[in-house]
């Protein structure tokens, strides 16, 4: 049995849907029934084509937020729309904005939420979500009871985004109610982090460094190698916590989940929380002087050696090739 209607909470960046949004739409199509998107922002018409191409037949747009944080207002608007549209399942990404909206919506419609999910299925009319626990070593499947809509949030890279060839999603304006003091906070400025090269969670090649680099000044080896490979630099939690690089570089359970074609881990021993964020990579290369390092257990190619010697040689060889 398939669901009648599935909603996906859509988000955008740089004028286009995020990769996580497209992943969720792709999975929603597999569940059957009608797929619709919910979007908070002024550019709903601009991203409707991409949302439609990935399965959204309709886009419920909440435009008039007046620079308010979306959580309270969007949750209130969604709760009102749910009364007439009656979705069976609402899928969210595990992002700050989506979790804020989902938590507030949960209270308004009096439904529980399932977070950190990596898969979803339908058994009859029951929605079941799968979550990885104990560092990804155990999978738990939870059935949602209590009636529709089921609210579930999913980790990035849980699904592969694939276009379905649909038409542009029909944009339906949804009024944003006045939520009073709850929505009083306003966004006064926006700052975009400067970056070059591909984004960490979208790159085909990721080069990550860990404590084995020795000191913050050696992280340039990771950046230099990533640039030569046209990839993105990443990091273990240890060096992020140490202040060597920003949190946005962190790969792992509490950072970004990546699934590149090639993942190169230099000086990373392989803590469980790190491996959860990268073990889905197609090809894993590890460089570590400790031959017993856990990272080698999931590597396709392991180099037992000092990163201070291996990385400069690798960079030199790539530079020689032009």
């Amino acid at each position: 049995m398939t669901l009648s209607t599935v909603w996906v909470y859509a988000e955008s960046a740089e004028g286009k849907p995020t990769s996580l949004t497209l992943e969720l739409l792709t999975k929603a199509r597999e569940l059957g029934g009608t797929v619709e998107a919910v979007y908070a922002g002024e550019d709903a018409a601009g991203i409707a084509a991409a949302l439609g191409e990935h399965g959204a037949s309709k886009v419920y747009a909440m435009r008039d937020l007046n620079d308010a944080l979306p959580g309270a207002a969007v949750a209130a608007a969604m709760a009102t729309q749910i009364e007439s549209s009656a979705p069976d399942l609402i899928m969210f990404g595990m992002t700050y904005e989506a979790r804020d909206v989902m938590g507030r919506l949960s209270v308004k419609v009096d439904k529980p939420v399932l977070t950190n999910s990596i898969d979803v299925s339908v058994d009859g009319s029951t929605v079941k979500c799968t979550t990885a626990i104990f560092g990804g070593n155990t999978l738990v499947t939870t059935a949602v009871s209590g009636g529709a809509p089921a609210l579930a949030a999913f980790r990035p890279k849980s699904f592969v985004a694939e276009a379905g060839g649909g038409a542009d999603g029909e944009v339906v304006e949804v009024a944003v109610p006045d939520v009073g003091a709850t929505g009083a906070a306003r966004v006064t400025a926006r700052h975009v982090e400067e970056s070059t090269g591909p984004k960490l969670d979208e790159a085909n090649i990721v080069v990550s460094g860990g404590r084995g680099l020795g000191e913050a000044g050696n992280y340039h080896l990771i950046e230099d190698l990533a640039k030569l490979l046209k990839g993105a630099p990443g990091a273990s939690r240890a060096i992020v916590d140490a202040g060597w690089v920003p949190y946005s570089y962190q790969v792992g359970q509490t950072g970004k989940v990546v699934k590149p074609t090639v993942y190169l881990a230099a000086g990373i021993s392989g803590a469980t929380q790190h491996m959860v964020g990268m073990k889905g990579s197609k090809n894993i290369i590890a460089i570590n002087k400790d031959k017993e390092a856990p990272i080698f257990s999931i590597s396709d190619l392991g180099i037992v050696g000092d990163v201070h010697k291996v990385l400069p040689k690798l960079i030199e060889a790539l530079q020689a090739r032009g």
Side-chain angles (χ1 to χ4, degrees), residues 27 31 89 91 118-122 127-130 154 159:
K27 183 60 181 181
L31 298 176
L89 167 66
M91 302 174 69
I118 60 172
D119 199 6
V120 60
S121 61
V122 181
V127 174
K128 294 184 175 181
C129 292
T130 301
F154 298 85
F159 316 113

Side-chain angles (χ1 to χ4, degrees), residues 157 198-207 229-232 258-264 281-283:
K157 306 301 179 183
K199 294 181 179 180
L200 177 58
D201 53 356
E202 298 178 1
N204 287 322
I205 297 176
V206 172
V207 181
L229 294 172
K230 295 182 172 57
V258 299
K259 290 186 178 181
T261 302
V262 176
Y263 186 88
L264 193 155
S281 305
K282 291 184 179 179
N283 300 281

